[in-house]
Amino acid sequence: QYEGGNVSNMGGVHSRQIEEDEMTAMMCLDSIRDAYRSDNDDHYAKSKLICLENTHNLMGGVVLPQNYIDSVGKLAHDELNMKVHVDGARIFHAAA
């Protein structure tokens, strides 16, 4: 939500946010699948990366379960040919 525009400014890339569950901070795998853009339309940037926030800042520090991260990774690697980045800076603060 807040970092969507800055990623374009700093990285020269286009982001697309997907709504997550209000309690678990998890995105539905079908929503990820539906948001995927292949390289067959010059009007859209090709999807190449899924970013997960763990722990989730705007949801009170909700931690994503390992099996969910694994499921997103499997979808990304096996089906969509994408990479996954887990932004986990706050997890180190939580462990301290």
Side-chain angles (χ1 to χ4, degrees):
Q1 174 180 346
Y2 297 105
E3 299 168 356
N6 201 34
V7 70
S8 297
N9 187 35
M10 301 296 288
V13 297
H14 182 275
S15 67
R16 190 168 186 196
Q17 288 76 34
I18 300 172
E19 191 171 338
E20 68 278 300
D21 181 270
E22 293 179 10
M23 299 301 293
T24 65
M26 293 187 283
M27 298 177 288
C28 174
L29 296 181
D30 285 334
S31 295
I32 296 172
R33 211 178 266 111
D34 291 344
Y36 173 77
R37 292 182 174 153
S38 64
D39 199 19
N40 64 357
D41 188 337
D42 291 337
H43 296 94
Y44 301 110
K46 179 180 179 180
S47 301
K48 292 192 169 197
L49 179 68
I50 298 171
C51 295
L52 301 174
E53 189 170 349
N54 196 26
T55 60
H56 200 293
N57 183 32
L58 295 178
M59 297 191 163
V62 172
V63 177
L64 297 175
Q66 184 64 49
N67 64 345
Y68 171 73
I69 295 171
D70 292 342
S71 296
V72 172
K74 182 169 178 45
L75 171 67
H77 300 142
D78 296 350
E79 186 176 326
L80 302 176
N81 195 27
M82 295 176 69
K83 296 185 180 198
V84 177
H85 167 75
V86 180
D87 183 1
R90 280 178 291 283
I91 203 159
F92 294 106
H93 296 294

